[in-house]
Amino acid sequence: MIRTHDAGTLRASDAGTTVTLAGWVARRRDHGGVIFVDLRDASGVVQVVFREEDAHALRNEFCVLVVGEVNARPEGNANPELATGEIEVVASQLTVLSEAAPLPLPVDDTITASDDLRLKYRYLDLRRSGPANALRLRSRANQIAREVLHARDFNEIETPTLTRSTPEGARDFLVPVRLQPGTWYALPQSPQLFKQLLMVAGMERYYQIARCYRDEDFRADRQPEFTQLDIEMSFVTQDDIIALGEEIVSRLWSELAGYQVQLPIPRITWTDAMNRYGSDKPDLRYGVELNELTSYLKGTEFRVFAGAIAAGGYVGAVVMPGGASQTRKELDGWQDWAKARGARGLAYVVLDAETGEPRGPVAKNLSAEHLSGLADAVGAKPGDAIFFAAATERREAQELLGAARIEIAKRSGLIDESAWAFCWVVDAPMFEKTDEGGWTAVHHPFTSPNAEWLDRFEEAPDQALAYAYDIVVNGNEIGGGSVRIHRADVQSRVFDLLGISPEEAQDKFGFLLEAFKYGPPPHAGIALGWDRTCMLLSGNESIREVIAFPKTRGGYDPLTTAPTPITAQQRLEAGIDAKPKPTGVTPGTDGQAVPVERSN
RNA sequence: GGUCCUGUGGAGCAGUUGGAGUGCUCGCCGCCCUGUCAAGGCGGAGGUCGCGGGUUCAAGUCCCGUCAGGACCGCCA
């Protein structure tokens, strides 16, 4: 080491010690005869005092080596804002290790730059304490997860990132294969199939901090490559996985957020979550629950509601406390808000703050009877606003109300930003209808029906429930998992229902079905969205903050300028333009890579 | 694929009714300064208002297109 001490660790007890420090010039205050330099390294900042002219040439972010003596600061000059504020280092020797050009963005905790500039100069951005601490927190989170899992005899096992697609639904990133032109690897969307194979292999307890790839549009909480803490166990039930998830989460929150999670974390069924909150990831930091009015409003002549009721649909409402005081413009704004999410509008009734009398466009369409009991039916008080949604598809109307509920909480300031509200959402449905009238797996096709539905999910696919569970905090899904199917007969029945032919199943994941011939153990698992978890733990609002070198929304990396075009030579070698050769072999059945025309 | 917001010296912003590239804070360069800690004082440099077109006597400002960034919907666990 070329230094003897870390700058941020020096304290009054070090007074009198001669130290050698190395770091960056965070700030300089040049008084002519005396020059103060805040020297920053990974441990923090300390004030260095120069009385020699040579420090005059120092500029921000010069990398320097300083020899000096730790002194208590003169009376009245301590800085209580700094951990090192009681002392300073009086420099006797200065070496400039490297100079810094004028900075393209300020390296300063009090100043923010635009996102793309921060990403282009991410290495400067990360010299700031906030961004740096987010990465350090993530490192700690990794360590905590490993501690918990190794204490329980888990094995950390790496699975391939050049593989074939896992059938999770999203678009794959593809990699051309030089040795077999016209064939392609897919980057994994998750290690799902490999971890199940590891269960067949008898590893029993697997985990991996796994990089996953999905070629879909990005968001503040979505990047093309992301990380999950991926876990799988054999010979366990749903409750075992939930207990494990709770231990990890409670350790993370207690050590990194200073919050003691109350265990066990409450569970809510998927159906209850939809009925009460209009979401499968409900934010439980506030109330404002949905109220179903399908039977209450039976017989109404208001066409929007009557139509939904007649079609066996759903009518419901959510109350905005104090919402009656909104201006006409604000109330109209809700219509635009609803239309922006693809709804026709958001019907509303406001209750007069004095009399409680219902008013508004919809009130004119409701009978006196329906109006008189409305406030009680939805639990509204005078001065409140009531928003309605109606649809033939129950879920569609509930999701609109659920989104309105969140918007109400935001606009009315109902959210306690310091709160952590955890829940498990359990008993998720197995299947949902596709636009084509078939069925698709809500989770993935290896999710097991629960005991009640195992033998008869075909009877009512829309009602069949899975051993699937998501962990939710403050309206963010931070993890999800399921008990997997380990019986070949159940798996083929699920494929049947999903309209996956035996040939197609064989083509897509024949290797897994083959493995399941050889005594697969019952197994279950969970994956925690690691970026999102670290984002929440660090109090950030974008996962980019907990990723060292993230990409922008367009999948662009301003730092390396990736992605880039390739040369003609690379293109030729990669075999990108090779035409798939016709072949007599059924793809994927004999362990031999053969050209395959991809279905998506 | 859709809706919305943003783009002005190196950074962050303001820029009124369309009237000269105007302003603010920080940074940068020079000088002064021995106790500051977001140091202070004086002086200075730095601009094709993202790009292209249009309207107009006149465009940073209005219109169209386009590029980049961001938020949301679709999509995506």
Side-chain angles (χ1 to χ4, degrees):
Chain A
M1 291 290 286
I2 64 172
R3 67 178 163 214
T4 61
H5 290 73
D6 293 327
T9 64
L10 297 174
R11 294 293 182 272
S13 57
D14 295 305
T17 313
T18 296
V19 297
T20 305
L21 304 176
W24 289 267
V25 175
R27 192 163 271 126
R28 84 206 129 87
R29 293 174 292 279
D30 186 344
H31 291 237
V34 61
I35 298 170
F36 301 100
V37 166
D38 291 339
L39 185 76
R40 184 195 63 243
D41 65 17
S43 65
V45 170
V46 72
Q47 172 165 285
V48 181
V49 185
F50 293 92
R51 297 186 197 277
E52 305 291 334
E53 278 275 313
D54 55 353
H56 183 70
L58 291 179
R59 293 294 180 269
N60 282 340
E61 299 308 318
F62 274 30
C63 188
V64 295
L65 186 78
V66 171
V67 179
E69 185 181 291
V70 179
N71 283 3
R73 291 196 186 188
E75 188 71 29
N77 278 320
N79 183 351
E81 303 285 308
L82 280 181
T84 57
E86 289 184 14
I87 52 96
E88 61 193 9
V89 173
V90 179
S92 55
Q93 196 181 315
L94 169 68
T95 309
V96 175
L97 300 172
S98 64
E99 299 189 351
L103 301 169
L105 58 81
V107 177
D108 187 324
D109 289 340
T110 62
I111 292 174
T112 56
S114 67
D115 269 26
D116 53 334
L117 198 69
R118 289 180 55 202
L119 296 190
K120 181 173 180 185
Y121 297 98
R122 182 66 164 157
Y123 43 86
L124 293 179
D125 187 46
L126 287 172
R127 287 187 186 174
R128 302 158 63 217
S129 66
N133 286 338
L135 293 192
R136 295 193 177 107
L137 177 142
R138 184 175 179 136
S139 174
R140 274 289 296 149
N142 290 357
Q143 188 187 352
I144 290 166
R146 288 191 164 109
E147 281 169 12
V148 171
L149 290 163
H150 283 283
R152 290 182 173 230
D153 295 326
F154 277 78
N155 303 291
E156 180 171 13
I157 301 174
E158 293 152 273
T159 56
T161 53
L162 292 174
T163 179
R164 50 186 304 159
S165 137
T166 54
E168 295 260 331
R171 200 174 290 118
D172 286 320
F173 278 103
L174 300 171
V175 180
V177 179
R178 175 182 59 86
L179 291 173
Q180 295 178 55
T183 65
W184 300 73
Y185 292 115
L187 302 181
Q189 296 178 27
S190 87
Q192 182 63 34
L193 298 185
F194 287 108
K195 67 177 178 177
Q196 294 195 243
L197 291 171
L198 288 168
M199 295 302 104
V200 179
M203 296 308 300
E204 294 201 14
R205 295 179 176 212
Y206 145 92
Y207 84 93
Q208 178 178 200
I209 298 175
R211 192 66 60 85
C212 307
Y213 306 85
R214 291 189 183 141
D215 185 9
E216 297 291 344
D217 288 359
F218 317 137
R219 290 288 156 73
D221 63 351
R222 233 191 279 160
Q223 286 264 307
E225 53 180 312
F226 60 98
T227 303
Q228 58 189 41
L229 175 61
D230 195 48
I231 295 170
E232 197 79 7
M233 294 177 82
S234 293
F235 308 117
V236 291
T237 64
Q238 168 170 304
D239 285 347
D240 296 311
I241 299 291
I242 284 181
L244 176 63
E246 290 184 350
E247 186 182 348
I248 294 169
V249 160
S250 77
R251 280 281 306 275
L252 289 173
W253 257 263
S254 83
E255 292 191 31
L256 301 179
Y259 176 76
Q260 219 54 51
V261 180
Q262 291 300 311
L263 299 183
I265 290 169
R267 301 183 194 183
I268 179 171
T269 68
W270 185 92
T271 303
D272 279 351
M274 291 305 298
N275 285 344
R276 293 172 61 190
Y277 305 105
S279 171
D280 58 3
K281 44 178 184 175
D283 190 341
L284 301 184
R285 287 176 295 176
Y286 48 90
V288 192
E289 296 193 17
L290 276 53
N291 299 277
E292 175 160 9
L293 297 171
T294 313
S295 51
Y296 176 80
L297 287 171
K298 200 159 279 178
T300 184
E301 294 182 3
F302 184 39
R303 262 187 291 170
V304 177
F305 296 168
I309 294 170
Y314 170 97
V315 183
V318 64
V319 174
M320 181 177 188
S325 64
Q326 294 176 104
T327 62
R328 180 60 192 259
K329 193 177 170 188
E330 284 172 319
L331 288 164
D332 286 346
W334 281 97
Q335 307 312 307
D336 297 333
W337 173 88
K339 281 171 188 159
R341 9 181 72 248
R344 289 206 195 109
L346 194 65
Y348 64 88
V349 164
V350 296
L351 302 180
D352 187 276
E354 303 291 325
T355 65
E357 184 194 344
R359 287 189 319 238
V362 171
K364 300 184 186 99
N365 290 294
L366 295 179
S367 68
E369 283 167 331
H370 279 150
L371 282 179
S372 65
L374 182 63
D376 284 342
V378 299
K381 299 187 299 292
D384 292 348
I386 305 165
F387 293 107
F388 299 87
T392 311
E393 289 298 327
R394 179 180 190 87
R395 187 170 174 181
E396 180 188 331
Q398 287 181 330
E399 283 179 346
L400 178 62
L401 290 174
R405 170 180 180 266
I406 294 168
E407 194 64 23
I408 286 168
K410 280 185 194 161
R411 295 191 191 187
S412 304
L414 301 177
I415 302 172
D416 176 357
E417 297 291 349
S418 67
W420 295 109
F422 289 85
C423 68
W424 290 98
V425 177
V426 299
D427 292 348
M430 283 283 292
F431 308 104
E432 62 187 349
K433 279 203 185 96
T434 62
D435 294 339
E436 292 79 34
W439 297 98
T440 183
V442 170
H443 203 75
H444 56 59
F446 312 107
T447 302
S448 177
N450 70 13
E452 188 190 339
W453 289 93
L454 186 64
D455 297 320
R456 59 183 188 94
F457 58 80
E458 294 95 335
E459 293 168 15
D462 55 328
Q463 292 170 41
L465 301 179
Y467 278 133
Y469 32 86
D470 286 347
I471 184 165
V472 174
V473 57
N474 295 357
N476 300 281
E477 184 206 320
I478 57 169
S482 62
V483 175
R484 326 297 184 190
I485 297 168
H486 71 283
R487 274 168 45 189
D489 60 318
V490 177
Q491 188 65 69
S492 58
R493 281 166 54 213
V494 169
F495 284 153
D496 275 352
L497 185 77
L498 295 175
I500 300 174
S501 69
E503 293 74 26
E504 192 183 351
Q506 194 63 34
D507 171 29
K508 281 188 172 168
F509 17 79
F511 59 97
L512 183 74
L513 301 178
E514 170 81 6
F516 277 8
K517 289 180 187 169
Y518 307 107
H523 57 288
I526 191 168
L528 295 174
W530 211 234
D531 308 285
R532 207 174 284 175
T533 300
C534 292
M535 171 188 88
L536 291 166
L537 283 167
S538 63
N540 280 296
E541 292 188 346
S542 168
I543 63 169
R544 287 191 289 263
E545 298 294 340
V546 293
I547 295 173
F549 298 102
K551 293 171 180 58
T552 69
R553 274 177 48 79
Y556 176 70
D557 175 5
L559 201 166
T560 65
T561 73
T564 58
I566 57 172
T567 64
Q569 178 67 21
Q570 286 176 304
R571 190 180 178 90
L572 190 66
E573 283 185 354
I576 293 170
D577 302 315
K579 295 275 186 294
K581 289 173 235 155
T583 160
V585 186
T586 309
T589 52
D590 57 355
Q592 196 182 346
V594 290
V596 176
E597 262 194 75
R598 304 200 58 91
S599 55
N600 51 357

